[in-house]
Each structure stands twice: as structure tokens, then as C-alpha cells.
Amino acid sequence: MGKYILKRLLWMIPVILGISFILFSILEITPGDPAVMILGESAPPDRVEALREEMGLNEPFLQRYVTYVADALHGDFGSSYRTKLPVFDEILSRFPTTLKLTVGGILLVVILGIPLGILSAVKQYSVFDNVSMVAALILNSMPGFWLGIMLVLLFSVKLNLLPATGVNGWNSYILPCITLAAGMMASVVRMTRSNMLEVIRQDYISTARAKGADEERVILRHALRNALLPVVTIVGLNFSSLLGGTLIIETVFNIPGLGALMITAVRSKDIPLVMAGVLFVALLGGFINLFVDVLYVYIDPRLKSQFVRGKGK
């Protein structure tokens, strides 16, 4: 297992380099001059040219990219064109807000979505199953921004129970987390239900029942562990993608998170901030996917035995 983890970590190096080169190339060909955006459209050409020279924008593309990678390897990711602050200071100041929002949404998905999917599978074609599937279909089809606005109108404007915008306390995260979790929860409920239905029809489940195992043990001990792998994949992928910034939710609820910061950076062509933000999220995504792969082994011991056999070959 240790060699596998080390191999995955080493594979992340060319992936991060590839992402950085593609992103640097895209920022190069997109319209807009950072120097003009900083000084304004009416700035004298000589001042614009002097600023371009100071920022190194007059150097060839490959030379600028190699310089950026070399500086990044030494921990220098540059300063924001807009604020002149180190880019990671800005990213790390916004990231905890996005992390709280993402963790809250994922916890709601796991705590509510997986049990609802299990109950729907166990009570297939019952009233509970039909209602939960209809609700999941509605939530999956509902735009996140619309749901967020409706929740604000109900719980903030009409009932005056929860804050409408900002992050002034723990209760400020309730409506954003519910909005964020709604669509994902629908997918997790349907995925858990379909996988559970497939697993509980297998021969070993019938054998366990024939041997006298109680239904709760059959469902939770035998069926659930084998049905969880695709669900864990969905949750892990959603978690890594949401860490990149829950832009729509942050916009609706006026939350100063990472997504809002990245959109501002892209609009102003703040190259150092865009590069650092994307690489930060890509690195986090790589670690989360690695964690999910390792978690597979503890959910399904058969994978561990396959891994051991593969290592011995």
C-alpha cells in the first residue's frame, strides 16, 4: 500500500505541471492586458509599457512560464496584481469559508442521502420509496440559485429565522449548506438505492438470510459495504470539485469564499492569483482522490487482497 501511495504522489507531479502549462497558455491567449487593467484604459502608453516591463510581461511566453515554475518550486507564487498581497495569503484567507460550506454540504449528503437510499432499496415500491424518488428527481432538476433564493425568501424574509447573506455566525451556513447539498443528495439517494438493489439480489445475500442472519445484519454488514464504493466515489469527486469554489452559492448568499475570489481574479486577469488558486485546488483534489482510493480498501477487503496478489506478481 505504501508503494501505491508513493506512486500516486509521484504521478501528481506531471499532472500539476500539465495543468499549470495549460492554464498559463490559456491566460496568455485570452484578451486583455493586465497592465492596462491595473492602470486603466486612459493610462499613457509609456506608463503601460513601463509596468509591463516591471511585471515581466514583455518576456517570451516559455521564458515566463519557466520562471514561474522555478519560483513556485521555491515557494514564491507571486503577488496579486490588484492587491499587491502574496497570492496564497488571499487564497488561505478565503479558503476556510469555502471549506466550512463544503464540509457542511457533504455531511448533510452523507447523513441524509445514504440512509434514505438504503431505506428506499429495502422498501422498494413502497410509498416511502416512491416519495423519496420523486423528491430526489425534483431536487436533482432544481437549479441551485433558484432553490437558494426560495430558501432566503422563506426562512429569512418571511419567517426571519436565519440570516440571508454573509457569514456572521454558524447559522449563516445553514441555508447555503442545504442549497449546496440538495442536488448532490438527490444523486446519492438514487445511486445508493440502485446499488443496494443490485447487491441484495446477489446469491451471497440469499445465503446469509438462509443461514438465519437477521435482516439488519444482512443489510448493514453484507450489502451496504459492497454497495458503498460508487457512492464514495461520487461523494469524493463532489467534495474535491466543491473545494474549488461554490460560486453560485457564494453569489446568492454573498459569501466571501474561494469561488468569488477566483471569478474576480479571472475578470481582472490577475495571472498569479488565478494560477495559484487553480494549482491549490488541483493539488487538494489529487489528495482527496488518493484518500478515496485508500478508503476503498477499508470498505471492501476484497480490494486489499487483489492489491496484495498484484504486488506479488
Side-chain angles (χ1 to χ4, degrees):
M1 180 60 71
K3 289 184 178 180
Y4 172 75
I5 294 175
L6 179 61
K7 183 178 179 181
R8 285 289 301 270
L9 292 175
L10 291 176
W11 267 109
M12 288 174 63
I13 297 175
V15 171
I16 295 297
L17 286 174
I19 292 173
S20 67
F21 181 78
I22 293 173
L23 181 60
F24 206 87
S25 303
I26 293 174
L27 292 173
E28 173 71 15
I29 63 177
T30 51
D33 188 338
V36 174
M37 292 180 177
I38 293 172
L39 297 175
E41 296 288 345
S42 59
D46 57 332
R47 288 190 60 193
V48 173
E49 189 62 26
L51 184 58
R52 286 182 57 84
E53 188 68 30
E54 179 185 343
M55 298 166 65
L57 297 176
N58 290 332
E59 297 176 356
F61 167 77
L62 288 178
Q63 182 178 343
R64 285 191 287 117
Y65 174 71
V66 171
T67 301
Y68 176 83
V69 172
D71 291 341
L73 291 175
H74 289 87
D76 181 11
F77 288 86
S79 300
S80 169
Y81 290 163
R82 296 180 303 106
T83 64
K84 307 301 181 183
L85 296 174
V87 290
F88 266 100
D89 287 354
E90 293 208 49
I91 291 172
L92 294 179
S93 67
R94 299 287 193 99
F95 180 67
T97 301
T98 298
L99 180 62
K100 292 175 186 176
L101 182 59
T102 303
V103 170
I106 292 294
L107 284 177
L108 283 177
V109 170
V110 172
I111 293 173
L112 298 178
I114 294 178
L116 287 175
I118 295 172
L119 289 175
S120 294
V122 173
K123 300 179 181 296
Q124 187 182 15
Y125 302 133
S126 66
V127 174
F128 177 85
D129 181 31
N130 292 330
V131 171
S132 62
M133 287 300 100
V134 171
L137 182 61
I138 293 174
L139 289 176
N140 201 37
S141 306
M142 192 179 298
F145 70 89
W146 184 87
L147 177 60
I149 293 172
M150 293 301 104
L151 290 176
V152 167
L153 290 175
L154 176 60
F155 291 101
S156 300
V157 177
K158 189 171 183 178
L159 300 179
N160 196 27
L161 294 176
L162 296 169
T165 59
V167 283
N168 300 317
W170 65 269
N171 57 346
S172 300
Y173 289 95
I174 294 178
L175 294 183
C177 287
I178 292 174
T179 306
L180 185 64
M184 289 188 295
M185 190 185 305
S187 300
V188 168
V189 168
R190 295 169 64 187
M191 176 67 74
T192 305
R193 178 183 181 273
S194 62
N195 288 329
M196 284 293 295
L197 286 175
E198 182 178 350
V199 169
I200 61 179
R201 292 167 180 162
Q202 299 296 319
D203 292 339
Y204 66 89
I205 298 295
S206 301
T207 302
R209 285 170 173 161
K211 289 183 176 180
D214 60 89
E215 190 66 15
E216 181 179 350
R217 181 181 177 85
V218 170
I219 296 299
L220 298 180
R221 191 70 181 272
H222 299 285
L224 181 59
R225 294 187 68 176
N226 293 303
L228 270 184
L229 291 182
V231 179
V232 170
T233 302
I234 289 181
V235 173
L237 290 176
N238 278 307
F239 186 68
S240 59
S241 63
L242 290 177
L243 284 177
T246 52
L247 175 61
I248 295 177
I249 307 303
E250 291 174 4
T251 301
V252 171
F253 294 96
N254 193 26
I255 296 175
L258 189 58
L261 176 67
M262 294 304 297
I263 288 298
T264 303
V266 170
R267 287 175 176 172
S268 59
K269 203 169 182 179
D270 194 340
I271 296 175
L273 186 54
V274 175
M275 290 291 298
V278 173
L279 293 179
F280 177 71
V281 172
L283 195 61
L284 278 178
F287 281 116
I288 291 171
N289 289 336
L290 176 60
F291 174 76
V292 170
D293 288 346
V294 174
L295 190 60
Y296 284 168
V297 175
Y298 295 95
I299 294 176
D300 191 346
R302 294 175 301 177
L303 296 177
K304 187 173 184 179
S305 64
Q306 292 174 9
F307 175 80
V308 172
R309 287 200 304 269
K311 187 172 67 172
K313 291 181 180 180

